[in-house]
Amino acid sequence: MYLLPAIDILDGKAVRLAKGDYAKVTVYNDDPVEQAKVFEAAGAEWLHMVDLDGAKSGNADNIAVVERIMNATSLRVEVGGGIRSLAVIERLCNAGASRLVLGTALVRDPEFAQAAIEQYGDLLAAGIDAKSGEVAVAGWREGSGVQAADLAAQMSAQGYCHLVYTDIARDGMQTGIDEQAYVRMSEAFGHPVIASGGVAGMDDIERLAAAEHARPGTIEGVIAGRAIYEGSLPLEEAIAACL
């Protein structure tokens, strides 16, 4: 299990949203590149990045910022938000991204999702963001009518081996995680999942690590954002607890 500190990019800045609400934005750093350097200096090896503008528009609006971060650090970068064409995948691949997360396209454009996994394989991850078990799309602004567990099973059948699962109701709220939700999603997916949403402190990291220890191959990684920025999750300690 490994830790992925998060940088969400909106209007070129590092921000976090509360429950995915674009009207509830907190800016943590005007320069996402400098923020990435801070995470790297603390010992992070991975970075989870979301292009929030791209998630709404489908145009990968902040791809230049993503490229700057990858050029300025040695972090392994997982990128999501607005990745809805093979051209964008190719550009991010050439820029050095370690993993690309497809979200809305899994529901809205299944033919693209299939073509992408056939061409890029392990570079890709399925991104499933859910509220009350229903998958949300278009930057979490719209419901899909699709159940998260059903979509996870479908993505596994199509060849996806990585899954980022976000509990929208907890995301950015520091309410603590429900580790069993990720265990259940791993069972539906048939592969380990990356947990996202609601990490509040070390207790959450330790519970996820315990779940992985009890059932190896359940939790691949954990994404944390606001708890790191606001100091309730000491980054160096959290990284060590994941090892």
Side-chain angles (χ1 to χ4, degrees):
M1 192 174 89
Y2 48 87
L3 186 77
L4 301 93
I7 294 180
D8 293 356
I9 301 174
L10 184 66
D11 297 329
K13 299 177 181 180
V15 309
R16 292 297 283 171
L17 308 183
K19 297 184 181 180
D21 189 342
Y22 282 73
K24 298 178 180 177
V25 180
T26 301
V27 176
Y28 287 108
N29 198 318
D30 289 336
D31 187 347
V33 177
E34 291 305 311
Q35 186 62 57
K37 290 179 179 179
V38 169
F39 290 153
E40 183 177 38
E45 297 181 359
W46 279 88
L47 176 69
H48 177 79
M49 297 183 54
V50 179
D51 179 351
L52 292 173
D53 297 295
K56 287 196 298 183
S57 70
N59 296 322
D61 298 281
N62 287 303
I63 195 168
V65 180
V66 174
E67 290 173 330
R68 285 173 51 219
I69 289 176
M70 288 188 287
N71 288 333
T73 73
S74 60
L75 292 165
R76 300 184 70 182
V77 181
E78 176 181 273
V79 184
I83 303 175
R84 300 175 197 169
S85 74
L86 293 177
V88 170
I89 290 176
E90 183 67 15
R91 183 173 173 187
L92 286 165
C93 180
N94 290 339
S98 293
R99 186 179 297 136
L100 306 179
V101 183
L102 306 189
T104 295
L106 303 179
V107 175
R108 294 274 178 84
D109 194 351
E111 292 184 0
F112 161 66
Q114 183 64 54
I117 196 64
E118 290 175 359
Q119 185 168 342
Y120 291 96
D122 198 55
L123 178 71
L124 303 184
I128 298 181
D129 309 324
K131 189 173 184 179
S132 301
E134 181 186 1
V135 176
V137 296
W140 298 355
R141 294 172 301 144
E142 302 173 21
S144 67
V146 178
Q147 291 299 300
D150 293 340
L151 183 59
Q154 178 186 336
M155 291 302 101
S156 179
Q158 288 184 215
Y160 285 79
C161 296
H162 301 285
L163 169 63
V164 178
Y165 178 58
T166 302
D167 183 346
I168 295 174
R170 295 172 183 263
D171 189 74
M173 300 305 294
Q174 289 184 278
T175 53
I177 57 96
D178 174 8
E179 71 274 13
Q180 291 306 311
Y182 301 105
V183 172
R184 292 191 295 270
M185 189 56 59
S186 176
E187 291 172 348
F189 186 50
H191 303 283
V193 303
I194 296 172
S196 174
V199 171
M202 285 300 300
D203 285 350
D204 294 314
I205 303 298
E206 290 165 358
R207 287 204 305 275
L208 286 167
E212 167 61 16
H213 179 75
R215 300 184 63 177
T218 297
I219 308 296
E220 177 177 355
V222 53
I223 295 167
R226 184 178 176 184
I228 296 173
Y229 290 112
E230 298 191 357
S232 65
L233 182 69
L235 182 53
E236 292 183 12
E237 187 178 345
I239 291 169
C242 288
L243 299 177

